[in-house]
Amino acid sequence: MKLVTGNSNRALAEAVSSYLELPLTDCTVKRFADKEVFVEIHENVRGEDVFVLQSTSFPANDHLMELLILIDALRRSSARRITAVIPYFGYARQDRKSAPRTPISAKLVSNLITTAGANRVLTLDLHAAQIQGFFDLPVDNLYAAPVLTRDIQEHYDVKNVMIVSPDVGGVVRARNVAQRIGANLAIVDKRRPRAGVSEVMNIIGDVSGQACIMIDDIVDSGGTLVNAAEALLKAGAKEVSAYITHGVLSEGAAERVAKSKLKELVITDSIAETEAVKAAPNIRRISIDQLIGEAIARTASEQSVSSLFD
């Protein structure tokens, strides 16, 4: 089998390569002067089981095009099977028509990946589980919960922890972590007056005296987490931390988190680390390299992937 990567998250690809004891396939992914993407595979991949590791994170369109062109290059090079390994699936938040005359961009992206020539997709904590149904090919949606749970158990006294969902839509995800560590669950009831802005309305559950840990899949502007942390502290929480799978942390978000009352924000390395994230004293990263690597190994050997989460 072969492991190929674009430019979105080279550090994670190298970590997965090390876990699998499989060197990254030699390839060129560069730009022409007008910023067109050019790809060249420098090794024979005919008949190979190829895994293309590429997050479609910022700049999302550039990294998406890299993924599509890598898949096309491999298909035209007679690879036997191509698996798109997308730790962070961009456009996943556009999974439905949120208003009249708006697109369902997640479906469009799934069509593009299929048309490019992928045979299957392996991703992590999709924002909306129904996106799996947007593809007419096998999709394995991995869960970061075991990785997050292990870190919580190593850094917190779980007897005094309250798991919190920062909104109603994330209750299932938060409940999964709560059940794994035997903790109670609270919910932040919020509303969004417009995209990217949230207002906390109520706290469902008694958080007084508790070390609260919010669980979610994506942190982008950081506004939801910061507002929820303040609301939880006002409701009597002893301290508030957050464990989030995908640290999108768009411009200004890392600084916002650094200045907030959050004790700690823990994110995975599904998205490459920025200088702002490195500089934030209360942002810590944990790696999903073993999770991704094991899923790739099991896919290649036709073993169960879902048993990773039993």
Side-chain angles (χ1 to χ4, degrees):
M1 83 185 186
K2 298 282 188 180
L3 181 62
V4 177
T5 186
N7 296 317
S8 71
N9 199 339
R10 184 85 186 184
L12 176 59
E14 290 174 349
V16 171
S17 168
S18 177
Y19 176 81
L20 292 171
E21 298 181 349
L22 177 71
L24 289 170
T25 298
D26 184 20
C27 68
T28 296
V29 183
K30 65 179 183 179
R31 303 288 188 276
F32 288 125
D34 63 353
K35 302 305 179 184
E36 278 189 13
V37 176
F38 172 75
V39 166
E40 185 176 3
I41 311 295
H42 300 297
E43 296 181 23
N44 179 25
V45 296
R46 183 180 296 273
E48 295 279 4
D49 192 4
V50 185
F51 295 82
V52 185
L53 198 156
Q54 175 86 337
S55 284
T56 50
S57 50
F58 177 85
N61 298 335
D62 285 0
H63 289 152
L64 175 59
M65 282 304 300
E66 285 186 10
L67 173 63
L68 297 175
I69 295 173
L70 276 165
I71 292 171
D72 184 73
L74 291 164
R75 177 172 62 88
R76 295 176 189 278
S77 302
S78 301
R80 178 175 59 85
R81 182 174 68 172
I82 303 167
T83 301
V85 182
I86 313 172
Y88 171 65
F89 189 94
Y91 286 98
R93 286 172 285 181
Q94 299 184 51
D95 62 308
R96 64 195 184 282
K97 290 192 67 169
S98 56
R101 298 171 297 282
T102 57
I104 304 178
S105 302
K107 172 58 176 170
L108 173 61
V109 169
S110 70
N111 288 345
L112 291 170
I113 292 170
T114 302
T115 302
N119 299 110
R120 65 184 304 129
V121 170
L122 195 158
T123 188
L124 175 70
D125 273 351
L126 278 172
H127 183 65
Q130 65 265 24
I131 293 173
Q132 295 171 84
F134 292 0
F135 289 89
D136 291 324
L137 45 82
V139 177
D140 289 309
N141 182 29
L142 307 180
Y143 302 103
V147 179
L148 304 183
T149 300
R150 190 181 310 118
D151 193 83
I152 291 171
Q153 291 170 328
E154 291 173 356
H155 290 85
Y156 291 85
D157 178 5
V158 294
K159 295 178 181 178
N160 299 312
V161 162
M162 171 79 81
I163 297 299
V164 179
S165 173
D167 55 35
V168 175
V171 169
V172 173
R173 184 179 294 104
R175 185 186 294 124
N176 184 9
V177 174
Q179 289 175 340
R180 287 174 179 270
I181 65 173
N184 291 323
L185 178 69
I187 303 168
V188 177
D189 176 27
K190 71 176 185 183
R191 68 182 181 92
R192 285 191 181 275
R194 61 184 184 277
V197 177
S198 66
E199 295 178 0
V200 175
M201 306 297 288
N202 299 292
I203 304 295
I204 303 171
D206 182 10
V207 299
S208 57
Q210 297 290 316
C212 291
I213 299 178
M214 290 186 282
I215 304 292
D216 210 352
D217 63 324
I218 296 174
V219 53
D220 188 351
S221 67
T224 293
L225 286 187
V226 170
N227 292 342
E230 292 178 354
L232 289 165
L233 290 169
K234 287 179 181 178
K238 182 172 62 176
E239 61 184 40
V240 181
S241 300
Y243 276 72
I244 312 294
T245 305
H246 307 298
V248 175
L249 295 170
S250 51
E251 189 173 354
E255 292 83 353
R256 188 175 296 112
V257 169
K259 295 175 182 177
S260 74
K261 296 180 180 179
L262 274 170
K263 175 188 175 183
E264 183 179 45
L265 168 60
V266 181
I267 57 177
T268 76
D269 56 354
S270 65
I271 295 174
E273 189 176 27
T274 64
E275 291 302 319
V277 169
K278 291 178 183 178
N282 59 343
I283 299 180
R284 179 165 59 87
R285 300 209 319 158
I286 55 178
S287 186
I288 53 167
D289 58 340
Q290 294 186 21
L291 174 63
I292 297 292
E294 187 62 27
I296 287 174
R298 292 187 181 205
T299 300
S301 59
E302 305 294 347
Q303 297 180 54
S304 170
V305 172
S306 60
S307 60
L308 277 171
F309 312 105
D310 292 340

